[in-house]
């Protein structure tokens, strides 16, 4: 059995000689070989760039929440103004991310409208798969943003609960009627004891001060009740907001499922149309064959009859 000779080096030398004859120097050959080994990355589409930018914004928002979590929850670390500033910055972040997601959704809607034909049916399955992929990307971004906003809603609920807890102890010691009456009786007895040395203007002034004190106590009590009711309503609004965002996310998932079903139904309709067209073509070809067969058979019979006669 003959031995197999390795001609790899000979092939390399032949290739080098051919490259030199075509004007390729060492640098050009090295660049050409590198282009064969390391392919250039494909340029990203505008949708992909916008989606990555949105994902980066959501990650920045999450890092911001992690960084200021203790400052927002602990009332001893920051003041109310600083906590309001953190809340405002988070709201601006969330609004910007929602706007970017809405822009992505509108771009998908425009692409779907442009991809449909004059009968409202897509003609390219690859385009339908691309649109479905983009819907999945938007759904993932919405879920990520919802996860971050739910974390901030929990922090906001903790803040409001602490505010309610601070307001509750101040509300318990309400001014009772008996001590006031006792004070009034005591002051009146002292006034009667000192009636010989006090004058009538002092009694009037004391009475005015007592009335103002009672009115101020009643007003402060009503303001405290109103503040407590407002804080309770804000906590309820935060809980309702969280619940609504959860329902919106569930609806988004249901819409995505319905969209997948609609894409599958469209594909089934297109396959059915193709099968019908093929059946029509088979039927027409079978008719032509049958007519040709009858014509040939008739001609054959007439020829045989003529030949016999």
């Amino acid at each position: 059995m003959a031995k197999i000779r390795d001609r790899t080096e000979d092939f390399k030398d032949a290739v080098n000689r051919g490259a030199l004859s075509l004007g390729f120097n060492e640098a050009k050959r090295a660049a050409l070989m590198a282009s064969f080994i390391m392919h250039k990355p494909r340029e990203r589409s505008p949708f992909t760039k916008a989606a990555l930018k949105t994902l980066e914004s959501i990650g920045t928002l999450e890092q911001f929440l992690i960084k200021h979590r203790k400052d927002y929850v602990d009332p001893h670390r920051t003041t109310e103004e600083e906590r309001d500033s953190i809340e405002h910055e988070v709201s601006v972040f969330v609004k910007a991310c929602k706007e970017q997601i809405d822009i992505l959704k509108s771009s998908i809607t425009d692409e779907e409208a442009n991809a449909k034909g004059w009968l409202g049916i897509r003609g390219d399955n690859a385009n339908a798969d691309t649109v479905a992929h983009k819907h999945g990307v938007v759904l993932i971004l919405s879920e990520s943003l919802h996860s971050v906003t739910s974390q901030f809603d929990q922090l906001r609920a903790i803040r409001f609960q602490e505010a309610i807890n601070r307001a509750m102890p101040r509300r318990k010691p309400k001014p009772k009627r008996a001590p006031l009456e006792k004070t009034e009786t005591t002051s009146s007895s002292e006034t009667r004891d000192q009636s010989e040395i006090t004058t009538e203007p002092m009694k009037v002034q004391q009475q005015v001060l007592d009335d103002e004190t009672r009115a101020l106590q009643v007003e402060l009590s009503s303001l405290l009740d109103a503040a407590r009711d407002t804080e309770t309503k804000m906590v309820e609004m935060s809980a309702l907001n969280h619940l609504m965002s959860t329902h919106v996310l569930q609806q988004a998932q249901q819409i995505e499922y319905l969209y997948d079903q609609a894409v599958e139904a469209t594909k089934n309709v297109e396959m059915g149309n193709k099968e019908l067209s093929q059946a029509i073509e088979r039927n027409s070809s079978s008719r032509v064959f049958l007519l040709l067969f009858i014509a040939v058979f008739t001609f054959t019979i007439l020829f045989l009859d003529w030949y016999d006669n």
Side-chain angles (χ1 to χ4, degrees):
M1 183 176 178
K3 294 183 180 180
I4 299 174
R5 183 181 176 184
D6 188 5
R7 304 296 299 275
T8 305
E9 296 298 330
D10 296 338
F11 176 75
K12 289 182 179 180
D13 294 337
V15 170
N16 291 329
R17 288 194 300 270
L20 290 174
S21 64
L22 293 175
F24 285 90
N25 54 15
E26 290 292 334
K28 290 184 178 180
R29 280 186 289 172
L32 184 61
M33 294 298 295
S35 65
F36 290 152
I37 297 173
M38 300 179 62
H39 297 282
K40 293 182 179 180
R42 295 179 59 185
E43 186 177 358
R44 292 173 178 173
S45 61
F47 180 87
T48 304
K49 293 179 181 178
L52 291 175
K53 182 179 178 182
T54 305
L55 183 62
E56 184 179 357
S57 300
I58 295 174
T60 305
L61 175 60
E62 187 174 6
Q63 293 296 327
F64 181 81
L65 288 178
I66 294 174
K67 180 179 179 181
H68 296 85
R69 182 189 301 271
K70 294 182 180 180
D71 296 334
Y72 186 80
V73 174
D74 193 357
H76 301 290
R77 295 171 65 96
T78 55
T79 61
E80 290 295 329
E81 289 78 7
E82 293 175 348
R83 298 168 82 180
D84 293 337
S85 176
I86 293 173
E87 187 170 344
H88 175 69
E89 291 182 5
V90 172
S91 301
V92 171
F93 263 111
V94 173
K95 184 178 179 181
C97 293
K98 286 183 178 179
E99 289 179 353
Q100 292 176 1
I101 292 175
D102 292 337
I103 292 173
L104 293 176
K105 289 181 180 179
S106 63
S107 67
I108 295 173
T109 304
D110 295 338
E111 184 175 355
E112 285 181 334
N114 295 328
K116 290 181 180 178
W118 66 279
L119 291 177
I121 300 175
R122 293 188 185 89
D124 190 2
N125 292 330
N127 190 23
D129 296 336
T130 303
V131 172
H133 169 70
K134 290 181 178 180
H135 277 290
V137 170
V138 171
L139 181 61
I140 291 172
L141 292 175
S142 300
E143 290 178 352
S144 300
L145 182 61
H146 172 71
S147 176
V148 177
T149 53
S150 63
Q151 295 177 9
F152 183 68
D153 289 337
Q154 293 176 359
L155 298 179
R156 187 184 296 173
I158 293 173
R159 178 187 177 186
F160 290 154
Q161 187 64 37
E162 289 178 354
I164 292 175
N165 294 334
R166 288 198 306 268
M168 288 292 291
R170 293 199 300 268
R171 190 176 182 275
K172 289 181 179 179
K174 290 185 177 180
K176 296 183 180 180
R177 189 65 181 173
L180 289 175
E181 294 177 353
K182 185 176 180 181
T183 306
E184 292 176 2
T185 54
T186 305
S187 61
S188 61
S189 62
E190 292 177 356
T191 304
R192 284 194 296 270
D193 294 334
Q194 298 178 359
S195 59
E196 295 178 357
I197 58 176
T198 58
T199 59
E200 188 65 24
M202 293 294 294
K203 294 180 180 180
V204 174
Q205 187 178 4
Q206 184 67 29
Q207 185 66 29
V208 170
L209 289 175
D210 292 340
D211 295 338
E212 291 179 355
T213 302
R214 295 193 198 95
L216 185 60
Q217 288 176 350
V218 173
E219 184 178 0
L220 290 175
S221 179
S222 62
L223 289 175
L224 186 59
D225 293 337
R228 182 172 178 269
D229 294 337
T230 303
E231 290 171 347
T232 304
K233 290 179 180 179
M234 291 182 70
V235 173
E236 293 176 355
M237 288 176 62
S238 176
L240 290 175
N241 186 19
H242 177 68
L243 183 62
M244 185 179 68
S245 61
T246 303
H247 286 302
V248 168
L249 178 60
Q250 292 177 356
Q251 289 180 358
Q253 293 175 354
Q254 292 176 358
I255 291 171
E256 183 67 20
Y257 175 75
L258 292 175
Y259 174 77
D260 294 337
Q261 294 295 323
V263 171
E264 186 177 358
T266 303
K267 291 181 180 178
N268 293 332
V269 170
E270 291 177 355
M271 293 176 62
N273 291 331
K274 291 181 180 179
E275 293 293 335
L276 287 174
S277 61
Q278 292 176 2
I280 292 172
E281 291 177 358
R282 293 193 192 99
N283 191 11
S284 61
S285 62
S286 62
R287 287 179 181 177
V288 172
F289 177 76
L290 182 61
L291 291 174
L292 182 62
F293 176 76
I294 292 172
V296 172
F297 186 72
T298 304
F299 179 76
T300 303
I301 292 174
L302 291 174
F303 176 77
L304 290 176
D305 182 68
W306 174 79
Y307 183 78
D308 291 337
N309 292 330

